[in-house]
Coordinates of all heavy atoms in Angstrom, one line a residue:
I1 N 96.2 111.5 91.4 CA 95.0 110.7 91.7 C 95.5 109.2 91.9 O 95.8 108.6 90.8 CB 93.9 110.8 90.7 CG1 93.6 112.3 90.6 CG2 92.7 110.0 91.1 CD1 92.6 112.5 89.3
A2 N 95.4 108.7 93.0 CA 95.9 107.3 93.2 C 94.7 106.3 93.0 O 93.6 106.8 93.0 CB 96.3 107.0 94.7
S3 N 95.1 105.1 92.5 CA 94.1 104.1 92.1 C 93.8 103.0 93.4 O 92.9 102.3 93.2 CB 94.5 103.3 90.7 OG 95.7 102.7 91.0
N4 N 94.7 103.2 94.3 CA 94.6 102.2 95.4 C 95.4 102.7 96.6 O 96.2 103.6 96.5 CB 94.9 100.7 95.0 CG 96.5 100.7 94.5 OD1 97.4 101.0 95.2 ND2 96.6 100.4 93.3
I5 N 95.1 102.1 97.8 CA 95.7 102.6 99.0 C 97.3 102.3 99.1 O 98.0 103.0 99.7 CB 94.9 101.9 100.2 CG1 95.5 102.5 101.5 CG2 95.2 100.2 100.3 CD1 95.2 104.0 101.7
A6 N 97.6 101.2 98.4 CA 99.1 100.9 98.3 C 99.9 102.0 97.7 O 101.0 102.3 98.3 CB 99.3 99.6 97.5
E7 N 99.5 102.7 96.7 CA 100.2 103.8 96.1 C 100.5 104.9 97.1 O 101.4 105.5 97.1 CB 99.4 104.3 94.9 CG 99.3 103.4 93.7 CD 98.6 104.1 92.5 OE1 98.7 105.3 92.4 OE2 97.7 103.4 91.8
I8 N 99.4 105.2 97.9 CA 99.5 106.2 98.9 C 100.4 105.8 100.0 O 101.3 106.6 100.3 CB 98.1 106.6 99.5 CG1 97.3 107.4 98.4 CG2 98.2 107.4 100.8 CD1 96.0 107.6 98.7
C9 N 100.3 104.5 100.4 CA 101.2 104.1 101.5 C 102.7 104.0 101.2 O 103.5 104.2 101.9 CB 100.7 102.7 102.0 SG 99.2 102.7 102.8
S10 N 103.0 103.9 99.8 CA 104.3 103.8 99.4 C 104.9 105.1 98.8 O 106.0 105.2 98.5 CB 104.4 102.7 98.2 OG 103.7 103.1 97.1
N11 N 104.0 106.1 98.9 CA 104.4 107.3 98.4 C 105.3 108.1 99.4 O 104.7 108.5 100.5 CB 103.3 108.2 98.0 CG 103.7 109.5 97.4 OD1 104.8 110.0 97.6 ND2 102.7 110.1 96.7
P12 N 106.6 108.4 99.2 CA 107.5 109.0 100.2 C 107.2 110.5 100.4 O 107.6 110.9 101.6 CB 109.0 108.7 99.8 CG 108.6 108.6 98.3 CD 107.4 108.0 98.0
E13 N 106.4 111.0 99.6 CA 106.0 112.4 99.9 C 104.8 112.6 100.8 O 104.5 113.7 101.3 CB 105.8 113.1 98.5 CG 106.8 113.0 97.4 CD 108.0 113.9 98.0 OE1 107.9 114.9 98.6 OE2 109.0 113.3 97.8
V14 N 104.1 111.5 101.1 CA 102.9 111.5 102.0 C 103.3 111.3 103.4 O 103.9 110.3 103.7 CB 101.8 110.6 101.5 CG1 100.7 110.6 102.6 CG2 101.3 110.9 100.1
D15 N 103.0 112.3 104.3 CA 103.2 112.1 105.7 C 102.0 111.9 106.5 O 102.0 111.3 107.5 CB 103.9 113.5 106.2 CG 105.2 113.8 105.4 OD1 106.2 113.2 105.6 OD2 105.2 115.0 104.8
I16 N 100.9 112.5 106.1 CA 99.6 112.5 106.7 C 98.5 112.0 105.7 O 98.5 112.5 104.7 CB 99.2 113.8 107.3 CG1 100.2 114.4 108.1 CG2 97.8 113.8 108.0 CD1 100.1 115.9 108.7
V17 N 97.8 110.9 106.3 CA 96.7 110.4 105.5 C 95.3 110.8 106.1 O 95.1 110.7 107.3 CB 96.7 109.0 105.4 CG1 95.4 108.5 104.7 CG2 97.9 108.5 104.5
V18 N 94.4 111.6 105.3 CA 93.2 112.0 105.8 C 92.1 111.0 105.3 O 91.9 110.8 104.2 CB 92.9 113.5 105.3 CG1 91.5 113.8 105.8 CG2 93.8 114.4 105.8
E19 N 91.5 110.3 106.3 CA 90.3 109.5 105.9 C 89.0 110.1 106.1 O 88.6 110.4 107.2 CB 90.5 108.1 106.8 CG 89.4 107.1 106.4 CD 88.1 107.3 107.1 OE1 88.1 107.5 108.3 OE2 87.1 107.2 106.3
V20 N 88.3 110.2 104.9 CA 86.9 110.8 105.1 C 85.8 110.0 104.3 O 85.0 110.5 103.8 CB 86.9 112.2 104.6 CG1 87.5 113.2 105.6 CG2 87.7 112.4 103.4
I21 N 86.1 108.7 104.2 CA 85.4 107.8 103.5 C 83.9 107.5 104.3 O 82.9 107.3 103.6 CB 86.0 106.5 103.3 CG1 87.3 106.8 102.4 CG2 85.1 105.5 102.5 CD1 88.2 105.5 102.3
G22 N 84.1 107.3 105.5 CA 83.0 106.9 106.3 C 82.7 105.4 106.4 O 83.3 104.7 105.5
G23 N 82.0 105.0 107.3 CA 81.6 103.6 107.6 C 82.9 102.8 108.1 O 84.0 103.4 108.3
V24 N 82.7 101.5 108.2 CA 83.8 100.8 108.8 C 84.8 100.3 107.7 O 86.0 100.5 107.8 CB 83.4 99.6 109.6 CG1 84.3 98.6 110.1 CG2 82.6 100.0 110.8
E25 N 84.3 99.6 106.6 CA 85.2 99.2 105.6 C 84.7 99.8 104.3 O 83.7 100.1 104.0 CB 85.1 97.5 105.5 CG 85.8 96.8 106.6 CD 87.1 97.0 106.5 OE1 87.9 97.5 105.7 OE2 87.9 96.5 107.5
P26 N 85.8 100.2 103.4 CA 87.2 99.8 103.5 C 88.0 100.7 104.4 O 89.3 100.7 104.4 CB 87.6 99.9 102.2 CG 86.8 100.9 101.6 CD 85.6 100.8 102.1
A27 N 87.3 101.7 105.1 CA 88.1 102.7 105.8 C 89.2 102.1 106.7 O 90.2 102.6 106.9 CB 87.1 103.6 106.5
K28 N 88.6 101.2 107.5 CA 89.5 100.5 108.6 C 90.7 100.0 107.9 O 91.9 100.2 108.5 CB 88.8 99.4 109.3 CG 89.6 98.7 110.4 CD 88.8 97.5 111.1 CE 89.6 96.8 112.0 NZ 88.9 95.5 112.3
T29 N 90.5 99.1 106.8 CA 91.8 98.6 106.2 C 92.7 99.6 105.8 O 93.9 99.6 105.8 CB 91.3 97.8 105.0 OG1 90.4 96.6 105.5 CG2 92.4 97.1 104.2
F30 N 92.2 100.7 105.2 CA 93.0 101.7 104.6 C 93.7 102.5 105.8 O 94.9 102.7 105.6 CB 92.1 102.7 103.8 CG 91.6 102.2 102.6 CD1 90.7 103.1 101.8 CD2 91.8 101.1 102.0 CE1 90.2 102.6 100.6 CE2 91.3 100.5 100.9 CZ 90.5 101.4 100.1
V31 N 93.1 102.8 106.8 CA 93.7 103.5 108.0 C 94.7 102.6 108.6 O 95.8 103.1 108.9 CB 92.7 103.9 109.0 CG1 93.4 104.5 110.3 CG2 91.8 105.1 108.3
L32 N 94.5 101.4 108.7 CA 95.5 100.5 109.4 C 96.7 100.5 108.4 O 97.9 100.3 108.9 CB 95.0 99.2 109.8 CG 94.0 99.1 110.9 CD1 93.4 97.7 110.9 CD2 94.8 99.3 112.2
A33 N 96.5 100.4 107.2 CA 97.6 100.3 106.1 C 98.4 101.5 106.3 O 99.7 101.4 106.2 CB 97.0 100.1 104.6
A34 N 97.8 102.7 106.3 CA 98.6 103.9 106.4 C 99.3 103.9 107.7 O 100.5 104.4 107.7 CB 97.6 105.1 106.3
L35 N 98.7 103.6 108.8 CA 99.5 103.7 110.1 C 100.7 102.7 110.0 O 101.7 103.1 110.6 CB 98.6 103.3 111.2 CG 97.5 104.4 111.5 CD1 96.4 103.8 112.6 CD2 98.1 105.7 112.2
N36 N 100.4 101.5 109.5 CA 101.6 100.6 109.5 C 102.6 100.9 108.5 O 103.7 100.5 108.6 CB 100.9 99.1 109.2 CG 100.3 98.5 110.2 OD1 100.6 98.6 111.4 ND2 99.1 97.9 110.0
A37 N 102.3 101.8 107.5 CA 103.4 102.3 106.6 C 104.0 103.6 107.2 O 104.9 104.2 106.6 CB 102.7 102.7 105.2
G38 N 103.7 104.0 108.5 CA 104.3 105.1 109.2 C 103.8 106.4 108.9 O 104.3 107.4 109.1
K39 N 102.6 106.4 108.3 CA 101.8 107.7 108.0 C 100.9 108.0 109.3 O 100.2 107.2 109.7 CB 101.0 107.5 106.8 CG 101.6 106.9 105.6 CD 102.7 107.8 105.0 CE 103.2 107.0 103.7 NZ 104.4 107.7 103.1
S40 N 100.9 109.3 109.6 CA 100.0 109.8 110.7 C 98.6 109.7 110.0 O 98.5 110.0 108.7 CB 100.3 111.2 111.2 OG 101.6 111.0 112.1
V41 N 97.5 109.7 110.8 CA 96.2 109.7 110.3 C 95.3 110.8 110.9 O 95.2 110.9 112.1 CB 95.5 108.2 110.3 CG1 94.0 108.4 110.1 CG2 96.3 107.3 109.3
V42 N 94.5 111.4 110.1 CA 93.5 112.2 110.6 C 92.2 111.6 110.0 O 92.1 111.5 108.7 CB 93.7 113.7 110.1 CG1 92.4 114.6 110.5 CG2 95.0 114.4 110.6
T43 N 91.2 111.4 110.9 CA 90.0 110.9 110.4 C 88.7 111.6 111.0 O 88.8 112.2 112.1 CB 89.9 109.4 110.9 OG1 88.4 108.8 110.4 CG2 89.8 109.3 112.4

C-alpha cells in the first residue's frame, strides 16, 4: 500500500499503472508522473 505517487513511480517492479480515481486532479498529475517514469497507463 503506497502512500504517494512517487513510491509507485520509483518502484522498479511496476510496469503498468491503472488510474481509476476519476475527475481531472489529482488523476492528471498522477498519470503524467507515471508516464514520465516510463510506466504504461490504463485509465
Side-chain angles (χ1 to χ4, degrees):
I1 305 172
S3 57
N4 56 66
I5 189 64
E7 287 183 37
I8 286 173
C9 291
S10 62
N11 188 339
E13 299 300 316
V14 172
D15 304 293
I16 301 170
V17 173
V18 176
E19 183 275 309
V20 284
I21 300 170
V24 172
E25 288 294 354
K28 180 186 172 188
T29 297
F30 289 177
V31 168
L32 286 173
L35 291 169
N36 287 324
K39 316 290 188 185
S40 290
V41 168
V42 174
T43 180

